[in-house]
C-alpha cells in the first residue's frame, strides 16, 4: 500500500478500485460525485458508513447512482444507529 496526499477529486489512480469506503466524509451525494472516477466502472461500489440513514439523503443521489443494499451494524460500546450503505452505478 502506498499513501497518497491529494484531494480526492484530483486523484487519478492508474488502476480503479473494487470499492471506495467513506466514514464521516460528507453526504452520500458529495461522496459519489467527488469519488465517481475511483471505482471500477462495471463492478465497483461505494461503501458509506452512516449513523441514521436519512431517506432525503438517498433521494438526493445523482440519477446515475443507486443504493443497492443497506446493512444495519452493531458497533460494540456505541449507542445509536449505524449503517453500511452500498451504492453502485445504475446498470
Amino acid at each position: 500500500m502506498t499513501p497518497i496526499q491529494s484531494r480526492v477529486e484530483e486523484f487519478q489512480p492508474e488502476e480503479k478500485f473494487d470499492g471506495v469506503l467513506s466514514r464521516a466524509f460528507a453526504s452520500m451525494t458529495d461522496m459519489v460525485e467527488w469519488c465517481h472516477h475511483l471505482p471500477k466502472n462495471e463492478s465497483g461500489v461505494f461503501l458509506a458508513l452512516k449513523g441514521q440513514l436519512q431517506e432525503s439523503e438517498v433521494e438526493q443521489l445523482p440519477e446515475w447512482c443507486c443504493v443497492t443494499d443497506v446493512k444495519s451494524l452493531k458497533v460494540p460500546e456505541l449507542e445509536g444507529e449505524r449503517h453500511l450503505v452500498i451504492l453502485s452505478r445504475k446498470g
Side-chain angles (χ1 to χ4, degrees):
M1 198 154 57
T2 304
I4 304 290
Q5 181 173 343
S6 172
R7 294 192 54 87
V8 69
E9 62 272 22
E10 295 170 358
F11 178 55
Q12 295 296 324
E14 290 180 27
E15 187 174 334
K16 304 292 182 172
F17 300 99
D18 293 325
V20 175
L21 173 69
S22 79
R23 179 189 162 276
F25 179 65
S27 71
M28 289 189 298
T29 295
D30 286 346
M31 176 199 175
V32 299
E33 291 288 357
W34 295 340
C35 301
H36 68 91
H37 61 290
L38 298 176
K40 294 177 180 174
N41 286 338
E42 306 80 38
S43 60
V45 296
F46 299 95
L47 305 166
L49 292 171
K50 303 297 283 182
Q52 292 183 343
L53 182 59
Q54 304 291 330
E55 188 61 34
S56 60
E57 190 174 0
V58 173
E59 292 170 356
Q60 293 172 5
L61 287 168
E63 187 158 321
W64 59 265
C65 183
C66 65
V67 172
T68 56
D69 201 2
V70 176
K71 306 273 187 194
S72 184
L73 304 175
K74 301 257 190 257
V75 181
E77 301 183 28
L78 282 182
E79 303 259 338
E81 296 180 36
R82 299 288 186 271
H83 298 89
L84 172 64
V85 183
I86 304 169
L87 306 110
S88 65
R89 294 182 184 276
K90 289 182 180 175

